[in-house]
Amino acid sequence: MLGQQLHPVIGREAEQATLDRLVSDVVAGRGGSLLIEGEPGIGKSTLLAHALAKARAAGCEVSAGQCDELGRRLPLSVMTRLLEIDTGSPDPRRAEAARSLEQPQQAAGWTMRLLAGDPVVAATEQLLVLVDRLCTTGPLVLAVEDLHWADEASLLMWRRLCRASVQLPLLVIGTCRPVPGNTELEPLRRDLRSRGGQLIALDRLPESEVALLTGLLARGEPGPVLAERLRSAAGNPLYVRELLDALARVGALRTGDGRVELTSAGRDVEKLTELRDVIADRLAGLSADTQEALRAASLLGPEFSVRDLAAAAGRGTGSMLAVVEEALGAAVLESAGSRLRFRHGLLREVLYEAMPPALRTAFLRRAAQELMASGAPVERVAELILPVLDTAEDREWEWLADNAERLVVRAPIAAAELLEHAVRQAGPDDPRLPVLTAQLAALYFRMGPLDRAEELARTVLRQAADPELLGRVRWLLSTIGMRTGRYEAVVENWRAATGDPRIGPVWRARLLALVALARQLLGQIGRARLAMAEALDEGRRLSDPTTVGYALHAASVIRSWHGDQAGALALNDEALAEVGNDPDLVDLRLILLGKRATDLDGVDRLQEAEEALTQARTLAERVGATRLSMTLVQGAERYYEHGRWDDALAVLDEVTDLPPLWRLARRGLKALISARRGQWEEAAGFLEAPAAGGRVPGQGPVAAGHLLLARGLGAERAGRLPEAVEVLMGLMAETYAHDLGNHPEWLPALVRLALAAEDRQSASAAGIAARQAADRRPRPRTRAAADWCAGLLDQDPSRLLAAVGYQRGAGRQPDLANALEDLAVVQAASGDLDAARASFGEALAVCAELGADWDARRAAARLRPWGVRAGSRAPHVRPSFGLEALTATERRVADLVAEGLSNPDIAARLLLSRRTVETHVSHILTKLQVRSRREVGAVADPGPGRPDRQG
């Protein structure tokens, strides 16, 4: 065999220089990202190996992994291998991550559970946290080959790693083939281009470089006949190498006088016109036993153990040693730590594709059954069953029925495909059919589409006789109704359940608790109270935490509606205690924590509200709950109300996968902040969202209230005051009654605009609504809004002073700025110009802190008729760059970066999410005009005593 050492930079000097620079940068603490593209065998792996070797030599921690075609349905499998996640790892950080990824094992059997969270989302977050922490001890290099075969979750995580590399000592390298029609990699390419990442497209080597490569491999300059033969390799380095090896194996190369030439024996390999042909020729030289074992190995993914190989080949482990030794000696396999892998992916592909379909099916089924018997992880077994679904038999379906719940957790996409096939194949009398259908319905409830989940659930109602399964399916249907805002359907589903004698008392009570919530959201308060009381009594009689928890939640909502915030909080706390840490009630616990935060904020217990939201966010991140993004939007709303607009925007930038109405909430907040800051072009982009239709969510932030406020500001800026009033009068509709109760400060804006438009009727209507809200919910916030409206309507400075005093004490800076503006105008109109100047000056100072340029301009325009102008000193304007450009939160984050803390540790210290901290660090790097955390530390804390723990 020809020389094994291939010089890594032949014809790739520019590409190597790019990689060398990226490695040098990460050693210096500056991260980066790179995608290498090229056809099979073009040199991607060789170039990557050179970079990884250099990184290891420079002291970087290096991890490498490889995707494979069979593993595309198994989320994050390449990432867990890449990061060496194992509970037995000697690295406590990796062992901790492995434990956090483990799902509680359910007993085998035909069950159905509604998972509140998405284990894949939760796992992604845990892996990203691990990467953050690994980067605190030094530079980290992560490399994944064959990204064109990566699963969707791994690609998404890879993109997030590329984004994180901008602010961590992290180098992220991927390789892929230019697969026609593969659009999944395009977002990754866009991210790289937009964030300063590198893209390298490897082309074929020119003939001069092929000659140099041949000289190194065959130890001589190629003669004319050999050079002509090598042209068939088309400049592909792997093809050149394999072709030379094939020629050497048949004795077709003659070396002498520094030259190597093709002999007449070379005619024996004339048929090797394609790279795959040459690779097949290499494999054909192995013994029959080794070829058979390698065929089995081609089914096992990028890496495998000798034990896995023996199981797939149907042989004993001891008999595999000679086979493995031969494959290693022939450079077909190579060691990967304690495991094995093919030296090049093409070797595995050729073996896999060359197998006749019947033989491949037999190998896959035998391997799957061996792994079933050995208790292998469910995702490994599913990986082997999926390609042979059409030939699966009772043994495979029995395994699926027993392991469906575990598979749904570990590999939901594979589970959906297997379950869909099983449901189609099962006969109508198969006892497994109802539970498999129910499992599939529960899976679609979590991952969508909901209409498919509902369709399957109704199918189970016609199939099943088991009372427990029927109860769970009825619960699923009511939960779908609550999630989609179809509250009448929740009531109808309960009625159907009460008429079905197969549904037991526990499920009837649980469904009634949801009816109480649905009736409250339908405005049927009296009937909601009756349903709540009955459900609560029944839940306590049955000692059922689910019924009691939801009934107490309904009771708390009803108390809030009637203005009894203390009672509402007490009931909410009682519900939280009842729910505890039950994994089946995570969704309810998140709902309760979100409501607790809203109620505490409503009575100005701000620190406690912040802590409740932090608990909700932490829990949602840990379990991958679908409510995570909704919890983040709720937190952003609080930041907005308390003047932390940059923090609100940072949170909103990280939010993904929101339901439609919550997407409106996100756009509305961004539009309102942009409008109040005078960034009208940005605001216009958010204002293009359609108006909210139907009923808004009963809890959490509003769907379109902030969007309407921003539209009103836009109409006011254009001088269309009647239009602005008409827009804001939409907030008086019944649809917004619940939200207006939580946001009484919206009404003074309507009063101000209506008075300016000389629409006294609309102004009075808003004032009456504010007074009614204060009477129904007598708390400082509603009373302040009522005073504010009355002060505008009656031109009474004392009422406005009361409103200003509340906003100032409660720390609601945006409302304080507006209340001060209105106070200054009323004071000026009454002739008290000195007081007006003082109020105006304070309003401008608050606006400057918020960056509320439009608010400041409007206030100045309103006061100009009385000659009240800003003082001689212009308000402080934050610069764009340097330490002075940092917001208060960014400065705190920068100080903690300087101390060497990781993003997760900073998040825990400041009660933020890890992704919010990540966004802040990106802003800090831009504003300080630096490229690494180390440089942030030097700028933020240049003192000689600062610990330098961040690589």
Side-chain angles (χ1 to χ4, degrees), residues 167 650 653-654 914-924:
Q167 56 182 260
D653 283 343
E654 70 176 89
R914 185 195 62 80
R915 284 187 286 175
T916 299
V917 172
E918 191 175 277
T919 300
H920 283 312
V921 174
S922 292
H923 293 166
I924 290 165

Side-chain angles (χ1 to χ4, degrees), residues 61 93 95 129 140 166 341 373 429 557 565 621 655 852 876 916:
E61 182 174 357
R93 297 166 301 183
V129 167
L140 175 65
V166 176
R341 67 185 174 205
D429 299 326
V557 171
Q565 293 303 114
E621 286 177 341
V655 170
H876 173 71
T916 299

Side-chain angles (χ1 to χ4, degrees), residues 424-445:
R424 289 194 301 270
Q425 293 295 315
D429 299 326
D430 191 327
R432 297 168 298 195
L433 179 60
V435 73
L436 291 173
T437 307
Q439 282 281 10
L440 189 56
L443 177 58
Y444 283 131
F445 171 74

Side-chain angles (χ1 to χ4, degrees), residues 157-502:
M157 181 174 167
W158 196 252
R159 290 171 59 192
R160 290 176 65 180
L161 286 171
C162 290
R163 295 173 192 173
S165 71
V166 176
Q167 56 182 260
L168 295 171
L170 171 66
L171 176 57
V172 183
I173 309 175
T175 72
C176 69
R177 299 178 191 173
V179 181
N182 186 339
T183 59
E184 295 175 349
L185 287 173
E186 192 50 42
L188 174 57
R189 295 187 185 96
R190 284 199 303 269
D191 276 3
L192 284 172
R193 295 187 191 101
S194 65
R195 298 174 186 272
Q198 302 286 318
L199 284 166
I200 291 178
L202 293 183
D203 203 353
R204 298 175 177 184
L205 294 178
E207 288 189 10
S208 59
E209 302 294 349
V210 170
L212 179 57
L213 175 60
T214 303
L216 288 170
L217 290 171
R219 298 181 177 85
E221 180 183 350
V225 179
L226 177 60
E228 180 63 28
R229 180 69 181 87
L230 291 175
R231 286 196 181 98
S232 65
N236 184 298
L238 179 63
Y239 195 172
V240 170
R241 178 186 182 123
E242 291 294 331
L243 186 56
L244 287 171
D245 266 352
L247 292 166
R249 283 196 297 272
V250 297
L253 296 180
R254 181 182 66 249
T255 304
D257 299 326
R259 293 174 67 86
V260 59
E261 187 54 284
L262 189 64
T263 69
S264 59
R267 289 192 295 273
D268 295 338
V269 292
E270 286 296 322
K271 64 182 184 298
L272 304 179
T273 58
E274 299 287 343
L275 175 56
R276 290 174 183 267
D277 297 333
V278 181
I279 290 174
D281 182 77
R282 172 186 291 276
L283 296 170
L286 300 172
S287 68
D289 283 350
T290 298
Q291 289 188 52
E292 182 179 2
L294 289 174
R295 290 190 193 101
S298 72
L299 308 173
L300 296 177
E303 295 180 4
F304 48 89
S305 66
V306 174
R307 181 179 177 182
D308 289 342
L309 178 58
R315 299 171 59 176
T317 303
S319 66
M320 299 304 298
L321 297 180
V323 164
V324 169
E325 184 176 350
E326 182 182 2
L328 289 170
V332 175
L333 296 182
E334 63 183 12
S335 297
S338 61
R339 298 169 70 82
L340 298 169
R341 67 185 174 205
F342 284 93
R343 181 176 61 81
H344 196 283
L346 277 176
L347 291 161
R348 177 172 173 269
E349 289 177 44
V350 168
L351 281 162
Y352 184 84
E353 294 169 3
M355 274 190 284
L359 180 60
R360 187 186 307 160
T361 297
F363 265 118
L364 284 166
R365 291 198 61 206
R366 181 174 67 187
Q369 290 172 6
E370 290 287 345
L371 291 180
M372 286 179 204
S374 67
V378 291
E379 62 271 23
R380 292 295 307 278
V381 178
E383 183 180 28
L384 298 176
I385 294 176
L386 281 166
V388 292
L389 272 178
D390 291 336
T391 64
E393 297 178 355
D394 278 350
R395 185 172 179 182
E396 285 85 2
W397 298 132
E398 195 71 36
W399 175 87
L400 177 60
D402 286 343
N403 292 276
E405 189 168 338
R406 294 190 183 110
L407 190 61
V408 162
V409 171
R410 292 293 299 128
I413 296 175
E417 188 172 346
L418 281 168
L419 287 168
E420 284 280 13
H421 195 89
V423 166
R424 289 194 301 270
Q425 293 295 315
D429 299 326
D430 191 327
R432 297 168 298 195
L433 179 60
V435 73
L436 291 173
T437 307
Q439 282 281 10
L440 189 56
L443 177 58
Y444 283 131
F445 171 74
R446 194 186 81 213
M447 60 185 277
L450 285 179
D451 55 353
R452 176 63 173 154
E454 183 170 355
E455 174 192 353
L456 289 163
R458 296 196 182 281
T459 301
V460 176
L461 293 179
R462 297 190 296 270
Q463 296 171 339
D466 177 59
E468 178 67 15
L469 184 58
L470 287 168
R472 288 180 181 272
V473 169
R474 285 289 180 190
W475 180 258
L476 171 59
L477 287 169
S478 283
T479 307
I480 291 172
M482 293 296 294
R483 181 168 292 187
T484 56
R486 292 157 46 221
Y487 306 123
E488 289 286 5
V490 176
V491 177
E492 288 303 316
N493 186 56
W494 165 72
R495 287 185 180 135
T498 58
D500 186 345
R502 298 171 298 175

